[in-house]
Amino acid sequence: MESSPIAALPGQPPGSRLAFAGDRQRHDEIAESLAALANAHGGALVISGGRGSQLAPLRDPAAAIELVLSAALACTPPLIIPLPQVVVYHDMPVVVVEVPAGLPYVYSVNGRYLRREGASNQPLSPAALHRLFSERADLGWERQVPPGATFTELDPDLIVAYARRVGPPAGDDPLALLARRGCLIDGAPTNAGFLLFGRDVAARFPHAEITLVRYRGREPADVFEREDICAPLPEAIRRAERWLNEHMRKGSRMVGLEREDWTQFPPGAVREALVNAVAHRDYTARGEGIRMTLFSDRLEVYSPGRLPGHVTLDNIRAERFSRNPALVQVLADLGLVERLGYGIDRMLRQLAAAGLPPATLRETAAGFLVILPGQPMAEELPGGVDTTAWRRMGLNDRQIAALLFVVEHQRITNRDLQEMYPDVSAETIRRDLSDLVSRGLLLKVGNKRATYYILK
């Protein structure tokens, strides 16, 4: 189904990953198709005004969406799905809802366990059901309500902002949206609700923190920079990404008279490693949080919890298994993570595009470790000067280019910098170099036409 755009699904025949239903079918029949897809490999359900795969325009698309969402809640446990979409196929409005692959639970409807096989929903045999329960965690931690939890412990501003981000498909009731997402049960916040929207995440989940550390060299040392973040997960991701972007090495090198910029790690690969650690860690493992450690040659990302379900180091690029479907769906609604979970694939592609070797993936005794290799030039001088500190000082591009020129050629003159920036006035060039002298970065030697500058 990954290769099929959602708009084209109504025109395809029913199969193991595609089911059809009419908007006048019974509530439990639609729930059975959703559960059967979830118990297999995921897929999509198309709702139209016709019968089965015989398409007809929907009379009321909004009512069809509500029918699907209520059918998802009728599954046991309630099925968390992306918001259904209205698709116009050959001038016919229909509704398409996707059922994610790799869900961690086994779903039933009125006590019946079904799985999608071929183009139909088939009952699971006792042996197949036992095997499926063995393969899937079925712990339901996200949906548990902590003792004494009350709605007042959630931040209403975060809830409103989330509903606004989802937009009209969420409806007019943010609390109903949170219930569909597994964040509220009978008005009380679940573990997932606290992690995503809690006023004080650290009060109930102090282990749900991200620790960020930067060492100057390849090994831990006494001198380092550190930040601990324990906040609602969307905010924690944004803050951690900002810290990593500020603290990873960035630099430039002169290729002839052209400046070539580089970053220690591809920012997209760093983001994938971060969001995957947050979305898929084992939050039942207390006593430790996520650790992201910057070294001069690598970034190490450790998350508590070994690989879930049937996922192994050998099949991790192809298999899908979501330990935390509620967390993943809300983070996907916010645009922070892809719902289908292809983060490892994207991370490896971004490393390859930057000319770097693949990441190292490793299971530890109690967790999962990802190691991203850094750009070799981040450790080399003068070809790969770390310009992070210069940028923090507020130096402009011309001044950074001037310092790089001095690193490579030992000195620079006004004329050298003027040739690099011919459209900039001589007075501006003079002020740039004079400012570098006043900041203590360059030393002025000689006077008048014989003046040149060296590193101080």
Side-chain angles (χ1 to χ4, degrees), residues 186-210:
D186 297 328
T190 62
N191 288 329
F194 272 111
L195 288 172
L196 292 161
F197 304 103
R199 292 178 186 271
D200 186 0
V201 173
R204 285 193 178 269
F205 302 110
H207 62 288
E209 72 173 359
I210 305 173

Side-chain angles (χ1 to χ4, degrees), residues 35 38-39 75-79 103 105-109 112-114 136:
N39 287 336
C75 298
T76 304
L79 179 59
L103 293 170
Y105 311 124
V106 181
Y107 298 88
S108 67
V109 178
R112 298 183 69 216
Y113 291 91
L114 304 171
R136 300 190 177 189

Side-chain angles (χ1 to χ4, degrees), residues 214 225 239-250 294 386 388-389 392:
R214 183 200 185 197
E225 297 173 81
R239 285 172 54 185
E241 184 177 18
R242 186 163 57 247
W243 191 94
L244 290 165
N245 284 334
E246 289 174 354
H247 288 79
M248 77 168 73
R249 296 185 176 187
K250 303 179 184 70
L294 281 167
D386 183 1
T388 306
R392 287 181 185 172

Side-chain angles (χ1 to χ4, degrees), residues 208-348:
E209 72 173 359
I210 305 173
T211 297
L212 305 156
V213 179
R214 183 200 185 197
Y215 294 104
R216 296 282 177 181
R218 293 189 172 195
E219 302 298 332
D222 293 336
V223 178
F224 58 87
E225 297 173 81
R226 173 172 175 160
E227 178 84 8
D228 295 303
I229 300 172
C230 194
L233 298 189
E235 178 188 345
I237 288 173
R238 296 185 185 103
R239 285 172 54 185
E241 184 177 18
R242 186 163 57 247
W243 191 94
L244 290 165
N245 284 334
E246 289 174 354
H247 288 79
M248 77 168 73
R249 296 185 176 187
K250 303 179 184 70
S252 305
R253 58 182 178 179
M254 300 304 296
V255 181
L257 293 178
E258 297 293 325
R259 194 183 81 193
E260 181 182 279
D261 296 326
W262 54 266
T263 57
Q264 189 176 5
F265 310 96
V270 172
R271 187 172 195 269
E272 293 296 345
L274 165 64
V275 297
N276 273 284
V278 172
H280 301 300
R281 67 153 285 183
D282 182 0
Y283 285 94
T284 66
R286 295 179 175 268
E288 61 179 346
I290 293 168
R291 299 194 303 270
M292 303 189 71
T293 310
L294 281 167
F295 294 95
S296 62
D297 64 330
R298 67 194 186 280
L299 169 63
E300 295 188 357
V301 183
Y302 171 82
S303 56
R306 290 165 64 86
L307 291 171
H310 57 276
V311 179
T312 66
L313 289 173
D314 292 330
N315 66 19
I316 191 170
R317 295 187 67 172
E319 292 296 326
R320 304 288 170 257
F321 191 97
S322 180
R323 176 186 272 126
N324 307 307
L327 299 183
V328 171
Q329 184 58 63
V330 172
L331 294 176
D333 291 339
L334 293 169
L336 295 171
V337 63
E338 286 287 340
R339 184 62 184 88
L340 293 177
Y342 294 98
I344 295 291
D345 253 357
R346 279 194 304 274
M347 182 174 67
L348 296 175

